[in-house]
Amino acid sequence: MSFVIWITGPSGVGKTTLARALASEIQKMGYPVEVLDGDGIRSRLYPDLGFSKKEREMHNRVVIEMAKLLAKNGIITIVSIISPYRSTRDYARKEIGKFVEVYLKCPLGIRIKRDRKGLYERALRGEIRDLTGFDGEYEEPDNPDLIIETDKMRVDEEVRLVLKRLRELGYI
């Protein structure tokens, strides 16, 4: 009865916020749940890892394996990670099996305003390059299980949409 919810989208779109709120609601329903945050995993396991395509794919594969192990052991797993490449997300779906891809999107201007890490500000000043969703590549999902425009609703509404989709899929 476990599965993986894979939340993808560019920096500042609200992945971590949704993941935490969704985990709280799923936990209230009595299910075991764990959140795997891409930034948190990266900073704890390999803080010096860069952001080349090869390094991003390696990081994503580590997260895929972690999610697969948690789900295999009966824990609903929510992954919050940019995962900019379709091929990596397709690989995750194939490897994990019960996989729900949630694509979050909102306009760049709003992502810039939400940017707590200062990444967009640094990119605008030319201090960093290839920021995913700014001047770096992000391949939108071809056929996600759910698309949420985070500038058009509150987090609690986003959570309700995901839970509704999970019910439609027969996962909860």
Side-chain angles (χ1 to χ4, degrees):
M1 177 29 206
S2 59
F3 53 91
V4 172
I5 303 166
W6 193 273
I7 303 173
T8 182
S11 184
V13 79
K15 295 178 299 297
T16 301
T17 301
L18 174 58
R20 290 178 181 157
L22 184 58
S24 177
E25 286 303 308
I26 290 172
Q27 192 170 38
K28 286 178 192 173
M29 297 166 73
Y31 296 108
V33 63
E34 189 64 51
V35 174
L36 297 178
D37 181 74
D39 287 343
I41 291 167
R42 177 185 278 272
S43 68
R44 285 189 301 277
L45 294 183
Y46 30 82
D48 298 327
L49 185 70
F51 291 90
S52 70
K53 183 171 184 170
K54 183 178 179 181
E55 290 163 314
R56 287 177 187 270
E57 288 175 336
M58 189 276 299
H59 171 55
N60 278 245
R61 284 184 181 256
V62 167
V63 175
I64 290 165
E65 287 304 310
M66 293 171 78
K68 190 165 78 170
L69 286 171
L70 286 167
K72 178 181 167 185
N73 285 284
I75 299 169
I76 295 171
T77 306
I78 303 169
V79 174
S80 167
I81 191 167
I82 291 174
S83 58
Y85 307 112
R86 276 186 212 103
S87 61
T88 304
R89 294 187 304 266
D90 291 345
Y91 175 77
R93 183 181 296 274
K94 180 177 155 261
E95 283 295 301
I96 292 166
K98 284 191 168 184
F99 179 91
V100 181
E101 184 178 23
V102 179
Y103 171 42
L104 301 188
K105 62 186 209 174
C106 75
L108 177 61
I110 292 172
R111 294 194 322 257
I112 290 171
K113 287 179 187 174
R114 292 179 178 172
D115 183 25
R116 290 185 233 141
K117 301 174 204 168
L119 296 173
Y120 287 108
E121 185 178 314
R122 290 176 56 210
L124 286 165
R125 289 194 308 256
E127 294 173 11
I128 58 174
R129 298 172 53 140
D130 298 324
L131 177 62
T132 304
F134 182 71
D135 61 344
E137 185 175 21
Y138 180 83
E139 299 172 349
E140 291 190 4
D142 285 329
N143 193 23
D145 297 285
L146 186 61
I147 298 171
I148 299 175
E149 296 181 53
T150 62
D151 60 310
K152 296 183 178 175
M153 61 182 64
R154 297 182 321 266
V155 176
D156 63 310
E157 294 172 311
E158 295 172 18
V159 168
R160 280 198 297 276
L161 273 180
V162 175
L163 293 175
K164 178 180 181 233
R165 186 67 180 130
L166 294 176
R167 286 185 190 98
E168 290 169 355
L169 292 168
Y171 288 176
I172 59 170

